Amino acid sequence: MQAIQITGLVKRHKKRTAVDSLDLEIRQGELFALLGVNGAGKTTVIKMLSCLTRPTDGDAVVDGCSIIKEPEQVRRRIGVSPQETAVAPNLSVKENLEMICGIHGFSKEKTRAKVSALSEQFALDDVLQRKAGRLSGGWQRRVSIAMALISEPRILFLDEPTLGLDVMARHALWETIGALKGRVTIILTTHYLEEAEALSDRIGIMKNGRLLAAGRAESLKAQAGTDDFEQAFLSIVQEGRR
Amino acid sequence: MRMRTFAKRCGKEILRDPINLGFGLGFPLVLLLLLSSLQANIPVRLFEIDRLTPGMTVFGLSFMTLFSAALIAKDRESAFLQRLYTTPLTPFDFIMGYMLPLLPIALGQSILCYLFAVPLGLTPRVHILWAALGIIPMAVFHIALGLLCGSLLRVKQVGGVCGALLTNLSAWLSGVWFDLELVGGAFGKLAGALPFVHAAEMEKALFNGSFEAAAAHLLPVVLYSVWVTAAAVLCFLGQMKKQ
């Protein structure tokens, strides 16, 4: 069963085409990574799929709902952790989680249960009472992902979740994301090749708004005729071949 | 429920910022203290505490613009708003959520000014209640102006435009620091065409129990509030669409 079906998706900004005729299917429960250099169009794809920006052309069906015709329904089915840290800095971690519960209209009991479950899942107990803005980048990202999961989304968008984190924090976050695999469909954008290779079921490589290749890491390596994923990525991006 | 949750968050963000509290709530009080001390040594009618305090409550409102603009600009730059745009919050929830928590803060600031002025010689009277409530139209103007600036400007620009420029304009054009009739000319006409002096005069009139005199200044303040609120809503919706 498909979680996301993208058909001819286009986004043009005046003279520049940020995403060019994107066709892609992502299966339910899959962790799909979008790789690409800066300006490849990864974030624009996420923004269109999460109804933050309207496509110039084409459509995508997200968990059975069109991003063009049913954006409200799509918003109820997704969770988004944006590229920049998106927490309320002067609120404690607990208050941040409670705020998102309130925005989704949860009862007091459900809010209490949700905060408790997420703090256990993301090991937030020690930082629950601390102001979110005072936490390290790694912890803030962890809180940000926990906030994205509050609405029990069927699809989770993670836009460069480990950008700017040190190795330790990055690996800790990989574990967190890895634990979600299979339960939620995850679309992740990243610059880190090893991250995409280690975490994803399938990887899509974008350049100048076009999807150059999509498949398992092994098949992309085979396609490029190399055993090294970095070489495969470079070869695909440089040659722009499918 | 959704809007209330968001408004609660906005209120907490503002009140937990020590710079906001120091400048926004503390600065008008320090000015009251300094100017009333000055008045004690060199008598200036404008700085008599019964005349100065109502004007100071209006001047203090300019910090509401700074608070709301800074919060919105920060939320935009940190992608916090982007996250919330993917939730069921509606544009109405956002606009009300940003504006509503600042109204009680503005009222609180006004009451604090009057209470602080009592030991400095302010005559306690029941009209203080009307005067405190009378700041609401001008508070709406300033809060909406913050929504407008926060939707258009970046955090650094907000500091300059709302922090430095607006607070000075509000002070000069309200007639709180000097008699505008003494300056006259184009400056006097400009001040008369803007809401600041009308808000200050309305506040003074309410404090003195002169409701007729207050009503004469109400219309320009309300018109500016409505106009700026409409412009702010349009700009906020515009930046929402841009996201």
Side-chain angles (χ1 to χ4, degrees):
Chain A
M1 171 126 181
Q2 305 300 338
I4 298 176
Q5 188 149 13
I6 303 171
T7 318
L9 209 59
V10 176
K11 183 69 187 179
R12 281 190 210 97
H13 301 290
K14 290 178 185 165
K15 287 178 184 170
R16 199 176 70 86
T17 302
V19 175
D20 193 1
S21 306
L22 180 68
D23 293 303
L24 182 65
E25 287 178 357
I26 297 167
R27 287 185 291 275
Q28 226 166 52
E30 190 175 23
L31 197 158
F32 188 91
L34 271 176
L35 272 180
V37 290
N38 285 337
K42 309 181 297 286
T43 298
T44 310
V45 170
I46 297 262
K47 282 187 173 179
M48 285 192 282
L49 294 179
S50 55
C51 305
L52 277 170
T53 187
R54 200 178 161 85
T56 312
D57 203 0
D59 196 358
V61 176
V62 176
D63 197 35
C65 303
S66 157
I67 59 167
I68 306 285
K69 293 175 196 150
E70 301 156 289
E72 291 304 319
Q73 289 302 317
V74 172
R75 283 191 194 109
R76 290 181 191 281
R77 289 162 156 79
I78 62 167
V80 180
S81 178
Q83 199 175 92
E84 296 89 1
T85 306
V87 295
N90 283 330
L91 263 59
S92 70
V93 170
K94 190 179 176 204
E95 286 171 330
N96 265 283
L97 297 173
E98 286 171 345
M99 174 189 65
I100 300 292
C101 289
I103 284 171
H104 285 283
F106 289 4
S107 66
K108 275 186 182 172
E109 292 72 32
K110 191 172 177 186
T111 297
R112 210 173 297 129
K114 201 65 177 157
V115 170
S116 165
L118 282 168
S119 33
E120 193 184 326
Q121 187 182 350
F122 286 84
L124 296 173
D125 282 334
D126 291 341
V127 296
L128 220 47
Q129 303 302 332
R130 284 179 60 190
K131 276 190 183 177
R134 300 256 171 93
L135 299 176
S136 68
W139 277 103
Q140 287 194 20
R141 294 289 166 88
R142 207 184 280 202
V143 174
S144 182
I145 296 174
M147 286 163 77
L149 283 170
I150 279 177
S151 59
E152 295 166 15
R154 294 168 63 85
I155 296 162
L156 178 65
F157 295 100
L158 302 175
D159 196 4
E160 311 223 11
T162 59
L163 187 72
L165 300 186
D166 62 37
V167 181
M168 295 288 285
R170 202 188 309 163
H171 279 265
L173 209 56
W174 284 6
E175 274 182 33
T176 307
I177 296 168
L180 297 170
K181 263 177 84 167
R183 287 190 285 155
V184 188
T185 306
I186 302 173
I187 294 86
L188 171 146
T189 72
T190 183
H191 277 295
Y192 301 114
L193 305 181
E194 73 276 24
E195 182 168 295
E197 195 179 7
L199 286 173
S200 324
D201 297 312
R202 282 195 306 146
I203 298 165
I205 298 176
M206 290 187 75
K207 184 187 178 186
N208 297 333
R210 297 187 71 88
L211 185 69
L212 301 178
R216 293 187 171 276
E218 292 306 320
S219 68
L220 293 175
K221 285 191 272 190
Q223 188 181 326
T226 172
D227 284 338
D228 181 49
F229 186 66
E230 190 170 324
Q231 283 303 318
F233 173 77
L234 288 171
S235 166
I236 290 169
V237 168
Q238 280 165 1
E239 292 173 27
R241 65 184 172 192
R242 282 182 176 272
Chain B
M1 166 80 172
R2 288 187 308 235
M3 189 263 279
R4 210 177 64 190
T5 303
F6 182 59
K8 214 167 130 185
R9 170 264 164 183
C10 293
K12 282 182 183 172
E13 283 283 350
I14 291 166
L15 289 172
R16 287 181 185 176
D17 188 332
I19 298 173
N20 279 349
L21 285 182
F23 264 91
L25 300 181
F27 193 57
L29 303 184
V30 172
L31 283 176
L32 265 181
L33 192 65
L34 284 177
L35 293 176
S36 55
S37 304
L38 188 75
Q39 156 71 17
N41 295 315
I42 314 161
V44 182
R45 197 161 170 261
L46 202 64
F47 295 160
E48 285 169 4
I49 198 76
D50 279 6
R51 291 176 64 88
L52 181 66
T53 311
M56 195 59 73
T57 61
V58 172
F59 166 70
L61 293 176
S62 56
F63 291 98
M64 299 303 132
T65 307
L66 181 62
F67 292 170
S68 65
L71 181 64
I72 296 160
K74 269 187 213 165
D75 284 353
R76 277 175 45 223
E77 279 186 31
S78 69
F80 183 74
L81 263 185
Q82 208 182 90
R83 168 195 288 285
L84 296 184
Y85 289 158
T86 64
T87 68
L89 281 174
T90 63
F92 179 81
D93 294 331
F94 280 111
I95 290 162
M96 287 294 119
Y98 276 123
M99 292 185 75
L100 286 183
L102 278 155
L103 269 181
I105 297 175
L107 275 170
Q109 186 197 49
S110 163
I111 292 166
L112 198 65
C113 269
Y114 282 111
L115 290 177
F116 187 81
V118 171
L120 298 175
L122 184 88
T123 321
R125 59 184 83 167
V126 75
H127 297 311
I128 288 178
L129 274 177
W130 299 117
L133 289 173
I135 59 129
I136 289 175
M138 195 56 179
V140 171
F141 167 82
H142 275 289
I143 295 165
L145 194 60
L147 184 67
L148 179 74
C149 294
S151 304
L152 297 174
L153 305 175
R154 299 185 70 82
V155 176
K156 279 186 182 170
Q157 295 169 317
V158 162
V161 173
C162 302
L165 186 66
L166 183 79
T167 46
N168 276 301
L169 279 181
S170 162
W172 297 340
L173 296 167
S174 62
V176 177
W177 311 118
F178 49 83
D179 192 342
L180 291 171
E181 281 177 14
L182 291 177
V183 184
F187 189 84
K189 280 182 188 163
L190 176 70
L194 292 170
F196 307 104
V197 69
H198 295 288
E201 291 304 318
M202 188 172 84
E203 189 66 9
K204 284 177 198 169
L206 284 172
F207 176 74
N208 290 319
S210 315
F211 295 106
E212 264 181 47
H217 292 285
L218 180 65
L219 188 65
V221 177
V222 169
L223 283 179
Y224 266 102
S225 299
V226 170
W227 182 76
V228 172
T229 304
V233 168
L234 286 177
C235 282
F236 187 81
L237 295 178
Q239 69 82 29
M240 239 182 129
K241 210 175 168 189
K242 259 191 194 171
Q243 288 281 337

